[in-house]
Amino acid sequence: EWLVDSSLSCWDCFLPNAHPRYTRTYVATGYDKNGCFATDTVTVFVRCNGDSVFIPNTFSPNGDGHNDRFFPRGTGIDRMMSFRIFNRWGEMVFERLNFAVNDESAGWDGSYKGQQLPPDVYVYTMQSRCEDGQVVQWKGDVTLMK
C-alpha cells in the first residue's frame, strides 16, 4: 500500500509506475497475513539538465507550413525565460522572453525588422526554468535554409 500520491499509477499494487515532476519520496507499507506490517520509503530524483529538450539545428522559413519557425521543444521545462538569436556580427536579430516551451508561435520566423534574412548560420542562447525551479542554459547555432 502506497501513501496516496497522484504521480503514482496505483496505490495498492506491488510495482506502481511513478511519474513525478519533482524529486519526491514515496512511502509504502506492506502487510503479511498475520497483520504485521513494515513501512519504508523510496526517493525518486528528478533531474532537470535539458536532456529532454530538442533544439533543431536547421529550419526553413519558406511559408510551406513545415519547419517555418525555430523554437525549442520538449518536456520538464516550466518556462523559457529568454531566447535570443544573433547574426554572425553579433547583432541580436530576435528576442523572446517568458514563453512556454513547444510554443511554435513564440519561435523565430527568420525575419529581422520585418525583412526575411538570407540563408546563413545564426547563433542562439536560451535560458529556461525547469519545473523544479532549476535554471538551464543552451548555446548553439541554427542554419536558416530557404
Side-chain angles (χ1 to χ4, degrees), residues 24-111:
R24 70 179 319 127
T25 299
Y26 296 100
V27 179
T29 302
Y31 300 89
D32 71 10
K33 63 182 177 182
N34 299 317
C36 296
F37 67 91
T39 299
D40 204 350
T41 61
V42 62
T43 301
V44 175
F45 293 93
V46 176
R47 293 182 350 190
C48 180
N49 58 10
D51 286 347
S52 58
V53 173
F54 170 67
I55 303 171
N57 60 4
T58 58
F59 78 118
S60 58
N62 57 11
D64 67 356
H66 301 289
N67 202 25
D68 286 332
R69 289 186 174 263
F70 173 59
F71 65 101
R73 301 154 175 92
T75 60
I77 302 295
D78 180 46
R79 301 293 294 169
M80 293 302 295
M81 296 164 33
S82 67
F83 178 29
R84 295 179 178 98
I85 311 284
F86 302 88
N87 64 19
R88 65 177 58 235
W89 298 279
E91 181 180 15
M92 186 167 49
V93 298
F94 178 81
E95 179 180 45
R96 181 76 50 156
L97 304 173
N98 195 28
F99 66 96
V101 70
N102 299 315
D103 182 359
E104 184 174 359
S105 67
W108 181 42
D109 66 0
S111 68

Side-chain angles (χ1 to χ4, degrees), residues 4-8 18-26 42-46:
V4 174
D5 186 297
S6 63
S7 67
L8 289 175
H19 302 283
R21 292 176 53 192
Y22 310 98
T23 296
R24 70 179 319 127
T25 299
Y26 296 100
V42 62
T43 301
V44 175
F45 293 93
V46 176

Side-chain angles (χ1 to χ4, degrees), residues 101-134:
V101 70
N102 299 315
D103 182 359
E104 184 174 359
S105 67
W108 181 42
D109 66 0
S111 68
Y112 178 56
K113 294 184 178 180
Q115 301 294 315
Q116 283 297 312
L117 292 173
D120 206 344
V121 175
Y122 296 84
V123 174
Y124 64 81
T125 64
M126 297 183 198
Q127 185 177 56
S128 69
R129 184 179 63 236
C130 299
E131 291 173 342
D132 66 359
Q134 293 180 58

